[in-house]
């Protein structure tokens, strides 16, 4: 019973279950994660099987969730915190940025904070405000946090376990509009070749590199298929880790294709694409045939859902950037 | 006079059976017409809610947060307010919005996904819906501190003085912001009323996940009075809110009102409550319905007759039609509107981004014209 078709959400459930079976110190904390199984059902059935001491339905306070998770971690536990939606992580921001991120360094390495903060992120599900944000850059900007984003069920299954196993705090972004996408998951096949902090070439190509993560990987793969019909060969990278960034993989790809487009839902200004563009410019300037281009959200509040499709990068906007790069 | 309410701490003036009861501290003095007016409010907001729920089911709204069961808490408190009182709501205060004169279609826009609310908070003294749990309680306190500094506190009565009313749920009482709001209001004796609708649930989390003591008792620890009122009794919620508002406006500081009620429906249309609560609980609360009790009172005392109820039913149908038609007529905004109002003074980088996006959109129009 090792191979099965699994949604991304279910793959995380399975990954959490495996992590909890492996280590009795792993505890889950969050709002509505017990009986309800979380609003996305990611923790479905876990409280029933592991009990209320290990799957903790918390009071409605995100600062409380993170602050107490830090205390539990100091006591030797490995809390996995669920933030219900991206827009609700901010009450916990102080605990994450000022406490969680710095405590290992402040204790001169004495304290370890093996905490995972799971955050469903991104738009495209027709939700009301605060339910479609992409706050990853705030966290990637904070030293001491590892920041990752999964894009498919197989990675989701393995990456959540690797995140739980990490002795550093990990902010774990889940692409909520991909929760229901399915893939074959063979749990006996072992984890992927890449470590948690490594990117992956998900489609090889010769003419241009398109780098993305989380929900945008699928958009870029679709763009690559469409471009192939027109004779353009796009290489697609799934960055997977946003902090640290796996620049070796990015740079190696750009050295082959000489062109780079970075795609994310978050606003382009000071987003992940800005950092990648700067680093690529520094480390392989002479290999570039065009400036690094960014496709992302606008510098506006996330719009009401009836026009969110216009805000979100889609196949056309990715291909538009590809064309502009190739025409350079 | 009927039996005293089953819980001594609970302020109640109208029992679930529709009998008036006396309370030593709170009373109301309504004319028959006013009583019918309250019934009309209750019935119409329930109708708005039912229509919105139906519109969501038909795909016209993205989501809807129903107020079913909480009508009396909202109408009682909403009607107790004066012209200078200001509401800071959550996302469920459709009944309060109604009392303040906000067109229900404004509320629907947010849930349909055509805007973020967008009404002028000062027009009806009804601020924007707040989805981030608890944040608005601090805004209410700050607003109240402004009223205080504007000389709107004192003995001038509701025409000359004002207060802020912060609405929030039982779950919200766990948030840091809400507890900070209590402290600020208390320290500055701000003219604010904390109106907590304890509907027993925060999505799937029961009240016990937020508190070990009755919520209203928390107030004393912060240094102001707390009172628990039957949230399904429109007369009692009116009386208690009126008293708290008077106290706030005259400069005696905040009051915490725990309106003890029940969320009869799902948390929102996205929620499935059968996963976490039993039907018997819902059935028990049905017997305490806020509208039924006023209806039986009006009928039994002859304050409203069959004709009146029928006329109201007709008005309710008209309102439902207005809402349905208005919702279906709501156009999708132009994509370009997302660049509107980001700043008071537009700045160049964003203006450039806007222009580029307009050009990008226009490029599709010209290519589709070429092909046609
Ligand atoms: C800061 C924050 N965390 C989580 C949520 C998700 N959420 C929306 S409503 C809700 C429960 C609120 O319960 P309560 O305060 O009792 O109000 P009710 O919905 O019952 O009216 C939660 C957890 C949110 N909106 N904001
Ligand atoms: Mg509640």
């Amino acid at each position: 019973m090792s191979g099965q078709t699994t949604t991304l959400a279910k793959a995380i459930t399975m990954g959490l279950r495996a992590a909890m079976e492996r280590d009795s110190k792993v505890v889950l904390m969050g709002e509505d994660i017990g009986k309800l199984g979380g609003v996305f059902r990611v923790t479905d059935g876990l409280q029933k099987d592991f009990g209320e001491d290990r799957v903790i339905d918390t009071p409605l306070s995100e600062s409380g969730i993170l602050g107490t998770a830090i205390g539990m971690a100091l006591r030797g536990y490995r809390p996995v915190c669920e933030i219900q939606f991206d827009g609700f992580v901010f009450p916990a921001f102080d605990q994450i940025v000022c406490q969680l991120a710095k405590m290992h360094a402040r204790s001169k390495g004495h304290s370890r904070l093996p905490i995972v903060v799971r955050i469903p992120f991104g738009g495209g599900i027709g939700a009301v405000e605060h339910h479609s944000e992409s706050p990853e850059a705030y966290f990637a900007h904070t030293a001491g946090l590892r920041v990752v984003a999964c894009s498919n069920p197989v990675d989701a299954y393995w990456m959540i376990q690797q995140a739980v196993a990490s002795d550093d705090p990990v902010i774990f972004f889940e692409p909520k509009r991909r929760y229901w996408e399915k893939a074959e998951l063979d749990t006996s096949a072992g984890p992927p070749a890449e470590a948690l902090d490594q990117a992956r070439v998900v489609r090889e190509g010769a003419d241009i590199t398109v780098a993305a993560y989380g929900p945008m990987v699928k958009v870029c793969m679709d763009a690559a298929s469409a471009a192939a019909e027109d004779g353009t060969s796009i290489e697609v990278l799934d960055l997977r880790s946003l902090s640290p960034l796996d620049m070796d993989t990015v740079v190696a790809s750009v050295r082959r294709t000489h062109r780079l487009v970075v795609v994310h839902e978050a606003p382009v200004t000071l987003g992940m694409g800005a950092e990648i563009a700067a680093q690529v410019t520094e480390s392989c300037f002479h290999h570039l045939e065009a400036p690094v281009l960014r496709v992302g959200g606008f510098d506006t509040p996330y719009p009401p859902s009836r026009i969110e499709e216009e805000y979100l990068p889609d196949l056309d906007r990715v291909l538009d950037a590809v064309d502009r790069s190739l025409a350079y | 006079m009927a039996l005293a309410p089953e819980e001594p701490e609970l302020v109640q003036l109208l029992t679930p059976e529709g009998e008036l009861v006396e309370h030593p501290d709170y009373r109301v003095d309504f004319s028959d017409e006013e009583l019918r007016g309250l019934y009309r409010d209750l019935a119409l907001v329930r109708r708005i809610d039912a229509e919105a729920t139906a519109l969501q089911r038909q795909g016209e709204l993205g989501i809807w947060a129903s107020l079913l069961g909480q009508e009396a808490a909202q109408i009682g408190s909403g009607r107790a307010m004066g012209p200078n009182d200001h509401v800071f709501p959550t996302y469920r205060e459709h009944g309060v919005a109604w009392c303040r004169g906000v067109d229900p279609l404004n509320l629907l826009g947010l849930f349909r996904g055509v805007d973020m609310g967008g009404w002028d908070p000062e027009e009806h003294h009804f601020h924007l819906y707040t989805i981030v749990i608890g944040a608005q309680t601090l805004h209410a306190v700050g607003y109240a501190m402004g009223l205080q500094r504007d000389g709107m506190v004192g003995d001038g009565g509701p025409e000359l003085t004002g207060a802020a009313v912060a609405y929030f749920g039982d779950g919200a009482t766990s948030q840091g912001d809400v507890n900070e709001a209590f402290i600020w209001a208390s320290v500055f004796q701000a003219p604010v009323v904390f109106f907590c609708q304890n509907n027993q649930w925060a999505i799937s989390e029961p009240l016990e996940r937020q508190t070990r003591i009755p919520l209203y008792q928390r107030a004393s620890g912060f240094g102001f009075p707390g009172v628990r009122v039957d949230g399904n009794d429109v007369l009692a919620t009116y009386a208690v809110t009126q008293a708290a508002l008077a106290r706030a406006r005259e400069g005696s500081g905040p009051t915490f009102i725990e309106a003890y009620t029940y969320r009869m429906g799902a948390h929102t249309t996205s929620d499935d409550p059968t996963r976490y609560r039993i039907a018997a609980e819902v059935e028990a609360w049905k017997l305490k319905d806020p509208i039924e009790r006023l209806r039986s009172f009006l009928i039994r005392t002859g304050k409203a007759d069959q004709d009146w109820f029928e006329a109201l039913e007709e008005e309710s149908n008209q309102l439902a039609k207005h809402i349905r038609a208005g919702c279906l007529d709501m156009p999708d905004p132009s994509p370009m509107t997302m660049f509107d109002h980001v700043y008071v003074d537009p700045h160049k980088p964003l203006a450039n981004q806007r222009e580029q996006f307009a050009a990008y959109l226009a490029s599709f129009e010209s290519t589709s014209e070429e092909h046609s």
Side-chain angles (χ1 to χ4, degrees):
Chain A
M1 202 232 54
S2 53
Q4 54 187 298
T5 306
T6 308
T7 63
L8 193 149
K10 216 13 90 204
I12 298 173
T13 317
M14 291 165 64
L16 287 171
R17 180 181 289 282
M20 294 182 80
E21 279 165 355
R22 192 173 304 124
D23 183 349
S24 65
K25 294 290 186 190
V26 175
V27 294
L28 311 188
M29 305 172 72
E31 297 156 9
D32 306 290
I33 68 168
K35 260 194 189 161
L36 186 62
V39 295
F40 291 108
R41 308 290 184 263
V42 169
T43 54
D44 193 20
L46 296 178
Q47 188 178 65
K48 194 168 116 290
D49 295 344
F50 294 96
E52 291 183 17
D53 271 357
R54 291 191 65 196
V55 179
I56 305 172
D57 266 319
T58 69
L60 206 179
S61 81
E62 289 77 10
S63 183
I65 294 171
L66 258 295
T68 56
I70 289 170
M72 290 193 75
L74 293 172
R75 186 64 202 172
Y77 286 84
R78 305 183 85 86
V80 182
C81 304
E82 173 173 301
I83 299 294
Q84 203 161 80
F85 282 90
D86 34 58
F88 308 140
V89 69
F90 300 107
F93 202 55
D94 166 64
Q95 288 290 347
I96 295 174
V97 169
C98 301
Q99 304 300 327
L100 180 61
K102 295 181 200 289
M103 212 170 268
H104 182 65
R106 286 170 57 231
S107 72
K108 295 190 176 167
H110 285 102
S111 302
R112 291 183 179 187
L113 285 297
I115 292 175
V116 178
V117 185
R118 295 182 34 241
I119 308 178
F121 83 125
I125 63 160
V128 287
E129 54 181 347
H130 313 296
H131 293 72
S132 305
E133 310 278 318
S134 296
E136 60 272 18
Y138 296 124
F139 299 98
H141 198 68
T142 301
L145 302 176
R146 290 176 182 272
V147 182
V148 304
C150 57
S151 69
N152 64 77
V154 177
D155 268 358
Y157 175 75
W158 294 110
M159 286 171 76
I160 189 66
Q161 294 180 67
Q162 292 166 329
V164 173
S166 166
D167 282 334
D168 289 315
V170 179
I171 312 296
F172 192 89
F173 282 102
E174 302 173 1
K176 72 168 83 78
R177 70 161 131 160
R178 308 286 177 224
Y179 268 145
W180 305 277
E181 301 222 343
K182 292 177 181 159
E184 271 310 298
L185 172 62
D186 181 357
T187 56
S188 67
E194 299 84 3
L196 182 63
D197 58 6
Q198 282 180 318
R200 178 186 304 137
V201 178
V202 283
R203 178 180 172 124
E204 290 186 359
D207 300 333
I208 184 167
T209 301
V210 174
Y213 53 88
M216 281 293 121
V217 174
K218 180 174 171 358
V219 171
C220 296
M221 291 295 277
D222 292 347
S225 302
E229 285 171 23
D230 293 339
T232 302
S233 168
I234 298 181
E235 176 148 303
V236 181
L237 302 187
D238 181 351
L239 291 167
R240 294 171 14 105
S241 176
L242 308 181
S243 182
L245 273 168
D246 177 8
M247 289 310 295
D248 290 351
T249 300
V250 177
V251 166
S253 175
V254 173
R255 288 200 165 139
R256 288 193 296 273
T257 65
H258 313 294
R259 289 181 162 85
L260 176 63
V261 173
V262 187
V263 183
H264 46 63
E265 290 187 17
V268 285
T269 303
L270 291 164
M272 298 308 304
E275 177 60 27
I276 292 167
Q279 291 202 39
V280 165
T281 310
E282 282 171 23
S283 53
C284 52
F285 184 67
H286 292 292
H287 291 268
L288 285 171
E289 298 280 356
V292 180
L293 297 180
R294 291 168 291 163
V295 180
F298 303 109
D299 294 322
T300 67
Y302 193 88
S305 61
R306 289 265 169 163
I307 51 172
E308 70 179 328
E309 296 303 334
E310 312 284 347
Y311 174 94
L312 293 167
D314 60 3
L315 187 138
D316 285 330
R317 271 170 62 196
V318 173
L319 291 180
D320 175 69
V322 165
D323 288 347
R324 279 187 286 129
S325 176
L326 290 170
Y328 201 83
Chain B
M1 284 293 148
L3 300 169
E6 65 245 48
E7 269 188 78
E9 332 159 306
L10 191 78
V11 178
Q12 191 180 69
L13 299 177
L14 184 67
T15 69
E17 295 73 32
E19 313 255 340
L20 287 183
V21 280
E22 272 181 12
H23 191 279
D25 302 326
Y26 299 98
R27 58 190 298 272
V28 286
D29 192 14
F30 286 120
S31 67
D32 291 359
E33 193 182 342
E34 286 168 327
L35 287 168
R36 286 194 299 268
L38 289 172
Y39 184 87
R40 175 180 170 270
D41 288 336
L42 293 169
L44 293 184
V45 300
R46 180 167 287 185
R47 187 60 186 268
I48 294 168
D49 192 70
E51 201 57 33
T53 301
L55 284 162
Q56 194 283 334
R57 294 276 176 256
Q58 293 151 17
E60 296 296 337
L61 301 180
I63 190 171
W64 180 250
S66 168
L67 61 35
L68 190 65
Q70 300 177 218
E71 295 88 350
Q74 297 195 13
I75 298 300
S77 59
R79 285 296 177 209
M81 282 176 224
N84 299 315
D85 299 325
H86 294 257
V87 177
F88 289 78
T90 71
Y91 39 81
R92 210 188 285 286
E93 265 66 79
H94 322 312
V96 187
W98 169 260
C99 294
R100 300 310 283 176
V102 178
D103 186 334
L105 286 172
N106 271 332
L107 311 177
L108 260 59
L110 174 72
F111 293 95
R112 185 170 168 87
V114 301
D115 58 29
M116 304 299 187
W119 58 83
D120 176 2
E122 286 301 321
E123 189 185 349
H124 299 289
H125 294 185
F126 187 83
H127 289 257
L128 294 179
Y129 271 5
T130 303
I131 289 176
V132 180
I133 298 296
Q136 76 283 3
T137 57
L138 280 164
H139 309 160
V141 175
Y143 201 94
M145 290 169 68
L147 291 171
Q148 209 171 28
R149 277 150 188 75
D150 289 344
M152 295 286 289
V153 173
D155 49 17
E159 297 302 324
L160 295 174
T161 60
V165 186
Y167 283 83
F168 54 102
D170 44 295
T173 62
S174 294
Q175 281 288 10
D177 275 6
V178 176
N179 288 273
E180 290 173 34
F182 294 160
I183 290 165
W184 280 67
S186 174
V187 165
F188 294 108
Q189 286 290 282
V192 62
V193 174
F194 293 110
F195 195 91
C196 177
Q197 285 165 85
N198 174 1
N199 63 7
Q200 315 299 327
W201 292 94
I203 309 187
S204 74
E205 304 292 5
L207 181 66
E208 303 78 68
R209 189 50 27 147
Q210 321 293 345
T211 190
R212 300 278 295 206
I213 59 160
L215 288 173
Y216 77 95
Q217 289 180 8
R218 285 205 192 154
S220 73
F222 288 97
F224 49 89
V227 52
R228 177 181 275 184
V229 59
D230 181 345
N232 288 11
D233 173 353
V234 71
L235 305 184
T237 51
Y238 182 97
V240 164
T241 310
Q242 192 186 42
L245 281 166
R247 210 181 103 81
R249 295 188 205 113
E250 76 186 25
S252 302
T255 302
F256 181 108
I257 298 173
E258 177 189 4
Y260 203 74
T261 181
Y262 194 75
R263 196 194 78 207
M264 293 301 291
H267 169 69
T268 66
T269 46
S270 305
D271 178 40
D272 173 12
T274 61
R275 289 181 69 102
Y276 54 79
R277 72 182 188 187
I278 52 168
E281 185 180 292
V282 183
E283 289 308 312
W285 275 91
K286 264 192 194 146
L287 303 175
K288 304 183 194 178
D289 185 73
I291 303 189
E292 255 334 291
R293 68 176 76 179
L294 187 56
R295 185 186 180 88
S296 24
F297 172 72
L298 290 176
I299 292 175
R300 211 188 51 253
T301 55
K303 293 179 193 300
D305 59 17
Q306 202 50 37
D307 287 352
W308 186 83
F309 284 109
E310 274 165 24
L312 178 60
E313 185 58 25
E314 184 45 33
E315 186 185 5
S316 173
N317 291 340
Q318 290 307 323
L319 178 63
K321 267 192 206 142
H322 162 71
I323 287 172
R324 166 156 298 265
C327 179
L328 300 184
D329 276 355
M330 244 181 247
D332 283 357
S334 148
M336 297 313 295
T337 57
M338 70 177 97
F339 293 92
D340 295 346
H341 309 299
V342 182
Y343 300 93
V344 175
D345 294 322
H347 65 53
K348 209 170 155 212
L350 189 58
N352 290 344
Q353 223 177 62
R354 185 182 195 284
E355 248 167 61
Q356 281 165 15
F357 183 52
Y360 172 77
L361 290 180
S363 74
F364 287 93
E365 273 158 36
S366 56
T367 49
S368 62
E369 273 159 30
E370 277 162 29
H371 290 300
S372 63

